[in-house]
Amino acid sequence: MQYVLDSSQMKEVDRYSIEEAGIPSLVLMERAALSVCAVVEEQVKTGAKVLSVCGTGNNGADALACARILSQRGYQTAVCLVGDREHATKEFDTQLSILEKLCVSIVTMDEINDYDIIIDGIFGIGLSRDVSGEYRRAVEWLNASDVPVVAVDIPSGVDASSGKILGTAVRAAYTVTFGYLKTGQVLYPGKTCCGELRVAECGFVTKAVERIPDKTFIYDREDLKRLPVRTQNSNKGTYGNVLVFAGSDNMSGAAYFSAKAAYCMGAGLVRVMTVRSNKEAIQILLPEAVLCFYDEVSKEELLEYVRRAGVIIMGPGLSTGKAAGKILYEIFALLFREDGEGRTKKKVILDADALNIIARDKRQDLLKDCIITPHLGEMARLTGAAVSEIKERLILTAKEFSENCHCICVLKDARSVVSDGKQVYLNSSGNSGMSTAGSGDVLTGIIGGLLAGGMDCFLGAVLGTYVHGLAGDAAREKLGEYFMKADDIADSIKNVIYR
């Protein structure tokens, strides 16, 4: 697990390290510059021409320090200054003064010659306005040059908190970010500007980040150790019973993908409740599934199916017709009814048409204690917000909605977000080949299988989202992003979790 900080959080880490822990800013700056220089030295040999393009803030000061270090190591370095010197930081003035004493060349935009590699130090993580004027000219020149660019902390022009492009942005070949990943480097479109992204340790004190509440985090492959452990002394009942209420006429695939993925994640038994017209397709594709049919189920049978299930998935391919809506609300009535033993407790995952029915009928109260897995369009229907607005504030939308509705939200996009209203997980696995029909149904099944194995709801939603992306990445490695389909993602789960 790694923390991912937004601009204000990273500024607080920097402030605490300097002002309260007492680490001099120039010490942090020197370590940051050394980490950037290491990347430059990997790419070009001693004697190569290196240009640092520097704004007048501390990001520019980092790039000035890079020019000094590389000059002392035998590189031909030059510096191009962009911006108003009267508004320079004291660290910038200090670094420039050293360079002038060492006679490092300072050039203007009009004097730039050919270079082997360029260091981008125009703007750092504090940028919040659109790039314009001479700054825009500098960014456009960098992008037009056929020279690899190493960005200092973040490519200039990328919003460090949202990943938004602020007018224009440097398209770096490499980005060296300091201390922690920034959310704008993980979210799109900012990620596309970062090139190869490296996180460099430059001396921030651990206590500084520990003090920040509700930090966003991402998973890496080490977190696969969180998967439920299977025991030798077990049977199918040990690994749970999943009820998948899904599918409609001509929509057997959604039920199949969810059920298959639940089995692939180790669920002991999966019951598919769908329409009878899907019987043959599911029996052929997934003979392990137990079938029942919601277009002819009695109330007594429905009660028994709900009673037996530990995990209930509702919505994939369901349609928003009367029959589907009727059974959906009957299941909720069973889930929330009072009996002699108190309120019935089940782990419930709501996707696709279950969410569309709830949004249509304005029954968001039913989302309480559930896991919901909306894509942007479904979230727009639930919230009334435009898709473009949700996309621009992906993390805040998921967090606020979860908090308001007391649910766990898996907001699906190129970078999916999982939140319970306090904690926020930002998914970094997956690829564009997963933008295919049925991919989301596989996700609901993966989460359902994890919950059936005993995992708590938030961890199951987070780990399930991560595994789903890894399975997509495994499918891409085998088939490529154009050819892969949802079934390939489900089949690739074994390549991720086998151990």
Side-chain angles (χ1 to χ4, degrees), residues 466-481:
Y466 181 59
V467 167
H468 179 243
L470 289 181
D473 290 338
R476 176 187 59 186
E477 289 301 310
K478 182 178 179 181
L479 299 165
E481 293 184 2

Side-chain angles (χ1 to χ4, degrees), residues 187 376 387 389-399 411-417 426:
L187 291 170
L376 298 184
V387 168
E389 179 185 346
I390 294 169
K391 198 171 184 68
E392 282 196 2
R393 46 193 317 272
L394 205 66
I395 291 175
L396 281 176
T397 298
K399 187 175 182 180
L411 182 52
K412 298 181 293 193
D413 196 26
R415 284 289 180 254
S416 296
V417 177
L426 182 57

Side-chain angles (χ1 to χ4, degrees), residues 111-301:
E111 297 172 329
I112 293 175
N113 295 313
D114 292 333
Y115 291 90
D116 298 305
I117 197 165
I118 300 172
I119 296 171
D120 163 33
I122 303 172
F123 292 117
I125 63 170
L127 183 67
S128 58
R129 65 186 185 281
D130 279 358
V131 178
S132 61
E134 66 174 314
Y135 299 107
R136 187 180 187 96
R137 181 187 169 208
V139 169
E140 291 175 347
W141 178 86
L142 282 172
N143 288 339
S145 68
D146 189 23
V147 177
V149 175
V150 180
V152 176
D153 210 9
I154 193 166
S156 295
V158 173
D159 187 305
S161 297
S162 70
K164 182 180 178 181
I165 304 302
L166 298 171
T168 188
V170 170
R171 295 189 295 273
Y174 307 90
T175 297
V176 183
T177 198
F178 308 133
Y180 302 90
L181 284 170
K182 316 305 182 293
T183 51
Q185 296 167 337
V186 181
L187 291 170
Y188 289 97
K191 177 178 170 51
T192 61
C193 294
C194 292
E196 183 181 318
L197 180 60
R198 304 189 189 184
V199 181
E201 170 57 52
C202 63
F204 297 114
V205 297
T206 304
K207 188 176 180 181
V209 76
E210 290 175 346
R211 295 171 65 253
I212 297 173
D214 304 332
K215 296 176 286 294
T216 299
F217 63 98
I218 64 172
Y219 271 180
D220 54 40
R221 287 184 177 269
E222 274 293 303
D223 290 287
L224 292 176
K225 65 187 178 184
R226 302 173 188 268
L227 287 166
V229 176
R230 296 176 75 86
T231 62
Q232 295 302 312
N233 183 24
S234 62
N235 55 61
K236 66 182 179 183
T238 308
Y239 304 112
N241 184 313
V242 180
L243 173 62
V244 178
F245 173 37
S248 55
D249 286 334
N250 302 314
M251 289 286 286
S252 60
Y256 160 68
F257 292 133
S258 290
K260 177 176 179 175
Y263 268 130
C264 289
M265 284 307 302
L269 184 143
V270 180
R271 184 185 304 274
V272 177
M273 185 162 64
T274 187
V275 294
R276 181 169 285 278
S277 61
N278 290 335
K279 177 182 177 181
E280 185 176 355
I282 294 176
Q283 282 184 328
I284 292 172
L285 292 169
L286 194 67
E288 299 89 346
V290 180
L291 286 174
C292 59
F293 309 107
Y294 70 79
D295 48 354
E296 52 190 67
V297 68
S298 69
K299 287 187 178 180
E300 291 75 19
E301 288 171 324

Side-chain angles (χ1 to χ4, degrees), residues 291-464:
L291 286 174
C292 59
F293 309 107
Y294 70 79
D295 48 354
E296 52 190 67
V297 68
S298 69
K299 287 187 178 180
E300 291 75 19
E301 288 171 324
L302 183 63
L303 173 61
E304 184 64 14
Y305 299 148
V306 171
R307 186 189 67 79
R308 290 183 181 182
V311 178
I312 301 176
I313 295 170
M314 296 192 280
L318 193 60
S319 87
T320 56
K322 288 184 179 180
K326 178 176 178 290
I327 299 296
L328 177 73
Y329 288 127
E330 286 181 357
I331 292 174
F332 271 114
L334 293 172
L335 290 171
F336 293 117
R337 74 175 190 155
E338 294 289 330
D339 58 29
E341 297 179 358
R343 181 174 169 177
T344 303
K345 292 288 186 182
K346 303 288 182 183
K347 295 174 180 177
V348 179
I349 306 168
L350 301 175
D351 184 33
D353 285 325
L355 297 175
N356 290 330
I357 292 169
I358 287 169
R360 179 194 67 195
D361 298 343
K362 302 189 187 314
R363 291 300 311 274
Q364 280 83 345
D365 58 297
L366 295 176
L367 304 180
K368 185 175 184 293
D369 297 328
C370 296
I371 297 172
I372 67 171
T373 59
H375 58 52
L376 298 184
E378 290 155 356
M379 197 61 169
R381 288 187 277 278
L382 285 168
T383 62
V387 168
S388 58
E389 179 185 346
I390 294 169
K391 198 171 184 68
E392 282 196 2
R393 46 193 317 272
L394 205 66
I395 291 175
L396 281 176
T397 298
K399 187 175 182 180
E400 290 171 359
F401 191 83
S402 298
E403 184 176 16
N404 292 337
C405 293
H406 306 285
C407 65
I408 294 167
C409 178
V410 181
L411 182 52
K412 298 181 293 193
D413 196 26
R415 284 289 180 254
S416 296
V417 177
V418 183
S419 180
D420 62 358
K422 292 185 178 180
Q423 304 172 89
V424 176
Y425 167 77
L426 182 57
N427 193 52
S428 59
S429 60
N431 60 82
S432 68
M434 301 178 73
S435 301
T436 186
S439 176
D441 306 322
V442 174
L443 172 62
T444 60
I446 290 174
I447 296 173
L450 288 170
L451 300 187
M455 192 164 280
D456 74 68
C457 288
F458 183 69
L459 180 55
V462 169
L463 190 57

